[in-house]
Amino acid sequence: AVMDYIIPGATITRVDEVTGETLYFSIISTLYFLLLTGPFSVGLGSFTLYFFRRKELQAGHLFDGFECFLKALSLMFLMIFYTFLWSLLLFIPGIIAGLRYSQAFYILADHPEYSAHECINLSKQYMAGNKAKLFCYSLTFIGWGILVSVAAAPLALLPLTGIPYILGDFIFSIPYFFFFSYGSVGSIVF
């Protein structure tokens, strides 16, 4: 509701008919997701590849995806679209499709000259015979995810607002950083 005062029409308000709660949908966060997730995923892939190959790391590698912005954007949309189509069959084919395309951002980070379709096709080739391994690897993170969530749970119980909330959120986000970093580096092996 605050965004409506800053930018009129920035949020869409709906009332849930079952619970009677007011739901807010932010157009800005949707645009953020649509426009920045692809390039930042390529940047994270680039950063992780540099780390895995023991090359010199720079924080600027996280922004490498913006050098091939349109390719990263089209790759993200294609991955979402293909995974959605496979999910229409049933839930399991959607998971398999997600595993099949999991390496596409790393491929684009490593080879920015490739098109989005080439990255998806190469990801399919790389994951042939490895999808079950990646799925089992992902399952090992369930326990870690629960542990990290338990570490961050006290923040939700504290009645904090403003700066103390931001500081608490930052402190309790540190375990998530290690959790996701470990998962990103581990998924490169596939």
Side-chain angles (χ1 to χ4, degrees):
V2 174
M3 287 306 293
D4 267 341
Y5 293 112
I6 299 171
I7 303 170
T11 58
I12 299 171
T13 306
R14 300 274 188 252
V15 176
D16 188 349
E17 294 175 7
V18 177
T19 62
E21 293 181 24
T22 303
L23 305 172
Y24 298 98
F25 300 97
S26 173
I27 295 171
I28 293 176
S29 64
T30 303
L31 284 175
Y32 168 79
F33 172 77
L34 292 176
L35 295 177
L36 299 181
T37 300
F40 274 126
S41 296
V42 173
L44 179 63
S46 175
F47 186 84
T48 310
L49 284 169
Y50 272 88
F51 177 80
F52 184 72
R53 293 175 179 161
R54 298 176 189 238
K55 293 184 178 179
E56 183 181 340
L57 284 176
Q58 297 174 357
H61 293 302
L62 291 171
F63 301 99
D64 285 351
F66 289 96
E67 294 174 4
C68 53
F69 178 80
L70 292 177
K71 288 182 184 179
L73 192 64
S74 63
L75 178 60
M76 184 192 70
F77 280 123
L78 284 174
M79 288 174 60
I80 290 171
F81 179 70
Y82 291 150
T83 304
F84 171 74
L85 289 179
W86 279 103
S87 296
L88 289 176
L89 295 174
L90 278 177
F91 186 67
I92 302 299
I95 293 173
I96 293 170
L99 294 169
R100 183 183 304 127
Y101 308 135
S102 65
Q103 303 303 303
F105 284 121
Y106 296 113
I107 294 168
L108 184 59
D110 211 19
H111 301 283
E113 68 275 6
Y114 289 178
S115 71
H117 282 288
E118 288 174 318
C119 293
I120 286 176
N121 290 332
L122 275 174
S123 181
K124 287 182 199 177
Q125 290 174 9
Y126 292 167
M127 293 307 294
N130 292 316
K131 289 183 286 289
K133 291 177 189 175
L134 182 59
F135 181 72
C136 290
Y137 173 74
S138 299
L139 288 179
T140 64
F141 281 90
I142 291 174
W144 288 108
I146 292 170
L147 184 64
V148 166
S149 297
V150 167
L155 180 65
L157 301 174
L158 297 174
L160 300 175
T161 59
I163 300 296
Y165 177 80
I166 293 171
L167 288 174
D169 190 37
F170 176 74
I171 291 169
F172 288 115
S173 296
I174 293 172
Y176 284 108
F177 169 76
F178 289 105
F179 174 69
F180 289 116
S181 299
Y182 182 66
S184 294
V185 172
S187 67
I188 286 181
V189 175
F190 294 98

